[in-house]
Amino acid sequence: MMRYLTLLLLFFSVSLPAQVPDLATITADSANSWAGERVYDPGDTVLFFLYDLLAKVKAEENYAAMAETASNLATWHYAHVESEITDSIKFYDELALAAHREVGDPVAIIRAASQLSTTYADQYAYNKAEALLFEADSLLKSLDEPELKANVYEKFVYLYRNSKDYRSAIEFGNRALNIYTSLPGTDSLDAMYSLFYLSGVYVMNKEPEKGLAAIERARKLVELAEHPEASGYYLRVYGLRGYALEAMGRYDDAMEDYQKSLEIAKQLVPEEEMADGYKDGIGTIHYLRGEYEEAIPLLEEYLQHIGERGAFDPTYSKKYLHLSDAYAKTKQYDKALATRDSARVVKVRELEKELAAVRGELRTRFKADEQRDIISQQGATINQQARVQLLIGALALVLLAGLIGLLYVWRNNRRKNELLQKGNQEKELLLKEIHHRVKNNLEVISSLLELQSARITEPTAKRAMQSGQSRVQSMSLLHQRLYQGNNLAGIEMKAYFQQLTSLLLNGYEVNDRIDLDLDMEALELDIDTAVPVGLIVNELVTNSLKYAFPKEEAGHIRIQLNKEADQTYHLSVKDNGVGKSIAPKAASKSFGSQLVQLLVQQLDGSFKESNSSGLHTEIRFTG
């Protein structure tokens, strides 16, 4: 969770017991200042003091003090293991935001909204978190607060990382980094936080080399700031660098960094067991080396620590599987089975939370057509109002005596138009949000298919599950193009094909031997046409990658999509492989081939195949 990042960067020290101030003799600001300095202290003295303070400022309707008190209470509940309950944290974060809204300070509202977004993200309420961050970003447009804007972008990174939208997380991480590095000073030391975020997300996105480069840059900033070696900054540096090195297979280097991270953590926390959250890296390296006896106690202590705190860890179920396998390798079969069951329960629970969070969002998908109709009707109303204005203007020149009355009507109509236009803009934003939700939901389905295929050992069934996942991804990309573009009615196909084919080449790991040529101009299709066309290209390119180049031969695939003079579109996919006559017989009778035929029929198109110097498929259809 977000406060955990802040907590790790503080030098923990166990404060000596302090005399609790008398609320009757000090101001609310002084009381919050006293509590804020001691919110990480052990015990519940500060908690009960804050309860009393909150009751006092509520009775006085002192909203500014109420907001600060609620924020301190949320932080206390996070900082204390025995009270780290996400519902309690959310309750006080929501109370703080509501109080800031009463005061009306936009900067305070932005900070409170972005903080609450991290709490929502931890509870899989991604739509609520995203709405708060968009609100904060909108408020920032009228403010000259570059550092605050960068901080909001970092919260976007946290949200999209948790929701596994790694590309969006990287985009916002680089936005924040660009702001920090443009500020005056020595490369803006605040940029290290964005680099911390980017490093982890790059590794999750299977780009560990970029993750390593980001954390090395952060390390140089920490050195520039002359922070002591035993500080929270170096704790982050060593932990994240070990994470990147582990993903690159450099286990010895990763082990060295993970051990440094654990030693620093033990120095920073008041109780040694609180550092158990840094044992998973060392345990994982032991496991990957086959040192199962050494891995078991470290993974046990880490999983117990995370389970007690309820902290977010996207690899939680994977660590359970590592522990289960380590038990099996050391012939502790009862523990292995029990731990594997726990891994399954954890994974199912995580998926259930995600599905429950997006279930409400799925309902909004079916309102998209209704929203489009409303926008169309309001557009017609705007045009009608414009004609009325022209008529009134003409009459005003003739009927000077009624100038005042006509001027009033004209102003009133203009105001209505402005409100309608504003409503249209809001509904267009809603449509983009719907497409974004659909894309996220398709990605959840893709993840479920991936999870299921990992459990299947029968090759034919496994390939079928993977093909289904590929088709879901092709549709997900379409909705991503819609919400990222300016045209809600059409898809720019060339850019879409570039993304789609790049995913396919990466998925089959053939980038080095298969050359793919996209020969077409920029061309837009409506979504009802783009979906079947995208699925057709997905099937044809997948078929070429699987069958056209046996024995890992090099080859070439060419894709063309052009609009002809008679409003007909011509789609061509050609490879220089072995041709269909030599390809496995199953390929011609496969579900993929049948799906292409059905999709061509859906487009009312024609289908033609030729088999000279490779397989050449041509499809003509009307848009």
Side-chain angles (χ1 to χ4, degrees):
M1 283 184 271
M2 199 63 177
R3 285 193 182 86
Y4 195 49
L5 306 179
T6 304
L7 190 62
L8 295 176
L9 296 177
L10 292 174
F11 187 93
F12 275 98
S13 61
V14 181
S15 303
L16 293 174
Q19 182 67 35
V20 179
D22 183 357
L23 287 176
T25 61
I26 62 171
T27 65
D29 288 342
S30 297
N32 268 312
S33 178
W34 181 89
E37 292 173 357
R38 295 164 175 79
V39 74
Y40 297 105
D41 287 0
D44 53 13
T45 301
V46 175
L47 174 66
F48 289 114
F49 177 80
L50 286 168
Y51 282 155
D52 292 340
L53 177 58
L54 183 61
K56 180 176 183 290
V57 296
K58 276 185 175 181
E60 297 171 351
E61 296 186 357
N62 185 346
Y63 292 106
M66 191 188 308
E68 187 176 1
T69 306
S71 180
N72 279 333
L73 278 165
T75 303
W76 189 95
H77 278 284
Y78 180 75
H80 291 256
V81 176
E82 68 274 13
S83 296
E84 190 188 71
I85 303 171
T86 53
D87 285 340
S88 297
I89 299 168
K90 182 183 73 169
F91 174 82
Y92 289 111
D93 276 339
E94 288 176 337
L95 180 59
L97 177 58
H100 281 305
R101 292 191 194 282
E102 290 290 338
V103 177
D105 179 1
V107 172
I109 292 173
I110 291 168
R111 294 187 188 280
S114 59
Q115 178 59 61
L116 178 56
S117 74
T118 65
T119 305
Y120 282 146
D122 288 331
Q123 294 188 328
Y124 302 94
Y126 302 135
N127 59 328
K128 290 184 178 181
E130 195 172 46
L132 284 174
L133 291 175
F134 279 132
E135 177 190 358
D137 192 40
S138 178
L139 289 173
L140 279 164
K141 291 178 181 178
S142 60
L143 301 175
D144 183 20
E145 295 282 351
E147 292 183 72
L148 184 56
K149 191 177 189 71
N151 182 260
V152 170
Y153 285 162
E154 287 175 341
K155 300 297 194 298
F156 271 109
V157 179
Y158 186 79
L159 163 64
Y160 291 132
R161 184 203 69 181
N162 283 18
S163 62
K164 300 179 183 178
D165 185 357
Y166 300 132
R167 292 185 182 277
S168 296
I170 290 169
E171 176 187 346
F172 278 96
N174 281 312
R175 286 188 192 181
L177 185 60
N178 290 338
I179 292 175
Y180 283 132
T181 54
S182 68
L183 295 175
T186 311
D187 197 16
S188 181
L189 295 178
D190 287 333
M192 70 176 73
Y193 296 101
S194 296
L195 290 166
F196 288 154
Y197 277 119
L198 279 170
S199 176
V201 175
Y202 273 131
V203 176
M204 294 175 187
N205 199 44
K206 299 182 180 179
E207 299 177 275
E209 293 81 6
K210 291 184 179 179
L212 181 61
I215 198 60
E216 285 293 348
R217 184 175 169 187
R219 180 182 60 80
K220 292 177 182 178
L221 289 179
V222 175
E223 290 176 351
L224 187 65
E226 298 182 349
H227 286 292
E229 179 73 16
S231 72
Y233 295 100
Y234 278 103
L235 177 69
R236 298 283 299 284
V237 166
Y238 291 131
L240 287 167
R241 191 167 67 179
Y243 185 41
L245 291 168
E246 175 194 329
M248 295 169 66
R250 295 168 56 180
Y251 297 148
D252 291 344
D253 294 334
M255 175 67 86
E256 183 178 348
D257 278 349
Y258 281 146
Q259 288 173 337
K260 289 180 181 178
S261 178
L262 178 60
E263 289 305 314
I264 294 174
K266 289 179 179 179
Q267 296 177 51
L268 295 183
V269 295
E271 301 172 1
E272 184 172 331
E273 62 269 18
M274 293 181 68
D276 288 348
Y278 290 87
K279 293 181 178 179
D280 70 310
I282 301 173
T284 299
I285 297 299
H286 280 306
Y287 169 79
L288 294 173
R289 286 173 169 175
E291 300 163 354
Y292 304 115
E293 293 285 356
E294 293 84 350
I296 287 173
L298 293 163
L299 292 174
E300 286 176 339
E301 290 166 359
Y302 168 75
L303 290 170
Q304 180 181 355
H305 175 83
I306 295 297
E308 290 174 350
R309 296 181 68 84
F312 178 84
D313 179 4
T315 65
Y316 193 35
S317 57
K318 184 177 181 181
K319 296 296 191 303
Y320 263 110
L321 291 175
H322 286 171
L323 180 58
S324 173
D325 190 44
Y327 280 139
K329 291 295 194 328
T330 55
K331 300 183 179 180
Q332 301 179 64
Y333 300 117
D334 290 343
K335 288 185 177 180
L337 288 173
T339 307
R340 184 165 291 273
D341 286 341
S342 298
R344 181 184 60 80
V345 170
V346 167
K347 190 64 179 178
V348 169
R349 187 182 301 126
E350 290 172 353
L351 290 172
E352 285 176 346
K353 287 181 180 178
E354 291 187 24
L355 289 173
V358 302
R359 189 175 292 116
E361 302 171 40
L362 281 169
R363 296 190 187 101
T364 63
R365 172 185 175 186
F366 301 102
K367 296 184 180 180
D369 290 338
E370 180 183 350
Q371 294 295 335
R372 290 194 189 96
D373 291 341
I374 292 173
I375 291 175
S376 177
Q377 293 170 6
Q378 291 188 343
T381 303
I382 290 174
N383 292 333
Q384 182 180 358
Q385 291 288 350
R387 289 194 294 272
V388 171
Q389 289 177 15
L390 290 174
L391 178 60
I392 291 174
L395 291 174
L397 295 175
V398 178
L399 304 173
L400 295 177
L403 178 62
I404 296 176
L406 292 175
L407 182 61
Y408 171 79
V409 173
W410 180 79
R411 287 180 175 176
N412 189 44
N413 284 337
R414 185 174 68 177
R415 175 59 178 164
K416 289 180 181 179
N417 283 348
E418 291 173 350
L419 291 174
L420 288 172
Q421 289 172 342
K422 181 179 179 181
N424 277 351
Q425 291 172 353
E426 293 174 349
K427 290 177 176 64
E428 287 174 358
L429 180 62
L430 176 60
L431 281 176
K432 287 191 175 185
E433 176 66 11
I434 289 171
H435 285 299
H436 193 183
R437 290 296 140 228
V438 173
K439 188 269 293 185
N440 283 349
N441 294 333
L442 287 171
E443 288 188 349
V444 169
I445 295 171
S446 177
S447 297
L448 288 170
L449 289 173
E450 182 179 10
L451 177 64
Q452 188 64 36
S453 67
R455 300 169 62 111
I456 295 174
T457 58
E458 202 281 315
T460 301
K462 190 176 187 72
R463 285 195 298 271
M465 292 294 289
Q466 291 172 340
S467 297
Q469 183 184 0
S470 174
R471 293 165 188 135
V472 171
Q473 286 177 335
S474 73
M475 291 186 288
S476 174
L477 276 178
L478 282 169
H479 288 281
Q480 180 178 343
R481 301 293 304 175
L482 278 171
Y483 82 76
Q484 289 180 343
N486 296 321
N487 183 5
L488 291 173
I491 304 289
E492 203 290 295
M493 298 302 291
K494 183 174 183 179
Y496 166 60
F497 282 162
Q498 288 172 336
Q499 282 186 279
L500 177 61
T501 54
S502 177
L503 281 175
L504 290 172
L505 291 174
N506 289 334
Y508 284 91
E509 299 180 351
V510 295
N511 284 298
D512 294 333
R513 61 185 181 86
I514 303 298
D515 179 27
L516 196 146
D517 180 19
L518 189 59
D519 182 13
M520 61 180 287
E521 302 293 330
L523 182 68
E524 282 195 352
L525 294 178
D526 64 83
I527 188 170
D528 292 332
T529 305
V531 169
V533 170
L535 287 171
I536 288 171
V537 171
N538 180 81
E539 294 300 326
L540 294 177
V541 173
T542 298
N543 187 59
S544 293
L545 293 174
K546 289 166 64 177
Y547 303 116
F549 310 105
K551 300 179 181 179
E552 298 187 352
E553 296 174 356
H556 177 86
I557 302 174
R558 184 184 186 88
I559 302 174
Q560 294 176 289
L561 177 61
N562 301 300
K563 186 175 183 180
E564 299 179 341
D566 57 351
Q567 301 299 313
T568 299
Y569 292 89
H570 176 228
L571 172 64
S572 168
V573 179
K574 186 177 188 308
D575 64 57
N576 64 345
V578 299
K580 195 169 185 177
S581 60
I582 305 176
K585 293 181 179 180
S588 61
K589 298 180 181 179
S590 67
F591 174 77
S593 298
Q594 296 176 24
L595 177 61
V596 171
Q597 296 283 358
L598 290 173
L599 291 169
V600 172
Q601 292 177 16
Q602 180 181 334
L603 292 169
D604 292 328
S606 62
F607 177 85
K608 177 183 177 184
E609 279 187 349
S610 59
N611 203 25
S612 176
S613 300
L615 182 62
H616 184 193
T617 304
E618 295 181 89
I619 297 170
R620 282 184 165 82
F621 60 93
T622 56

